[in-house]
Amino acid sequence: SAYVLTGAAASWGVATVIAKSALTEIPPVALLPIQLGASVLLVTPVLLARQRQEPRTRRLGRVIGLGILNPGISYALGLVGLVYITASEAVLLWATEPIMIMVLAAVTLREQVTKTQVGAAGAATIGVALIVSAPDGMSHLIGIGVTLVAVSACAVYTVLSRKWLVEESSLRVVAVQQVAALGFAFTILGAVIVSTGTLMPATVSARFWASAVISGCLYYGIAFWLYLTGLMET
């Protein structure tokens, strides 16, 4: 499972850089449904092809709720944060997720944390803080704050998934959660359109459309599938 989780982390890292490029022309509120739509189109045919081998989801309500939390709310906030900070800073901030998970798992799942883990987590937190805390205006601080909220939502998602979904099919969970998150993303997009009257720039180049689609497949399709597979096998 370590290799699977490493693959998920690598997919997220690469997708972050590509998504940062897409945000040059596509606003976050529009980018999220494009990415999730691409992911759903990637995952759904695979699920249909393996329909007979994948067990039914027994906790549908919880799966949908977790999907709205992550990738819905979490990655919506993450894309907003990415507008104000660099891709390198975003990846560093997301590196604090394991630390948050460790703390939450210790509190809610009663998992044991060693002194070595506490020391390593403290050193990592200090390192991230020193790198990203250089003053660069209010917008930079907003980007950091929003991104940390997104990371926190992901940490909560991980702990709850570990608690509730261990016996579920990772592929089916990914598919259901992506559809739930896509519905959430379209709801947010609709609210923004109604309130502001704007949707997308008049023209978006093919390069940025490709960036949106590729980052969506990596972010939500491949990475989430690998991540949940590794999480459920741990």
Side-chain angles (χ1 to χ4, degrees):
S1 62
Y3 294 108
V4 175
L5 292 173
T6 300
S11 298
W12 272 319
V14 172
T16 298
V17 177
I18 300 174
K20 179 66 176 178
S21 172
L23 286 167
T24 304
E25 288 194 7
I26 305 173
V29 71
L31 179 58
L32 182 60
I34 294 171
Q35 289 178 318
L36 285 168
S39 178
V40 168
L41 291 176
L42 173 69
V43 172
T44 302
V46 179
L47 176 61
L48 292 175
R50 298 182 52 177
Q51 183 78 12
R52 293 182 179 178
Q53 300 153 293
E54 298 294 326
R56 292 282 178 184
T57 300
R58 292 180 295 176
R59 297 176 176 88
L60 186 60
R62 290 180 176 181
V63 171
I64 292 173
L66 287 173
I68 293 173
L69 176 64
N70 183 40
I73 296 172
S74 176
Y75 279 85
L77 293 173
L79 288 174
V80 172
L82 196 55
V83 172
Y84 300 105
I85 59 177
T86 66
S88 298
E89 288 173 325
V91 170
L92 280 171
L93 289 170
W94 280 96
T96 63
E97 184 185 357
I99 300 171
M100 295 183 186
I101 292 171
M102 183 180 70
V103 174
L104 288 171
V107 173
T108 61
L109 303 179
R110 299 291 186 264
E111 293 186 0
Q112 300 235 334
V113 179
T114 65
K115 292 181 179 179
T116 302
Q117 289 174 317
V118 172
T125 301
I126 292 171
V128 171
L130 289 174
I131 293 172
V132 303
S133 62
D136 193 20
M138 182 57 68
S139 62
H140 184 255
L141 292 176
I142 291 173
I144 291 174
V146 170
T147 302
L148 285 174
V149 174
V151 175
S152 301
C154 260
V156 172
Y157 166 87
T158 296
V159 173
L160 292 179
S161 294
R162 181 76 179 110
K163 183 177 181 179
W164 290 341
L165 307 180
V166 175
E167 298 178 357
E168 298 287 345
S169 156
S170 58
L171 179 58
R172 191 179 294 278
V173 167
V174 168
V176 173
Q177 289 184 341
Q178 308 266 314
V179 171
L182 182 60
F184 169 81
F186 273 121
T187 301
I188 297 300
L189 180 61
V192 171
I193 293 173
V194 170
S195 61
T196 66
T198 60
L199 173 56
M200 292 271 286
T203 58
V204 176
S205 64
R207 171 191 167 192
F208 293 105
W209 277 112
S211 296
V213 171
I214 293 170
S215 64
C217 291
L218 281 173
Y219 246 146
Y220 308 112
I222 296 172
F224 264 86
W225 189 2
L226 291 174
Y227 184 65
L228 283 173
T229 299
L231 186 65
M232 293 174 184
E233 291 178 353
T234 303

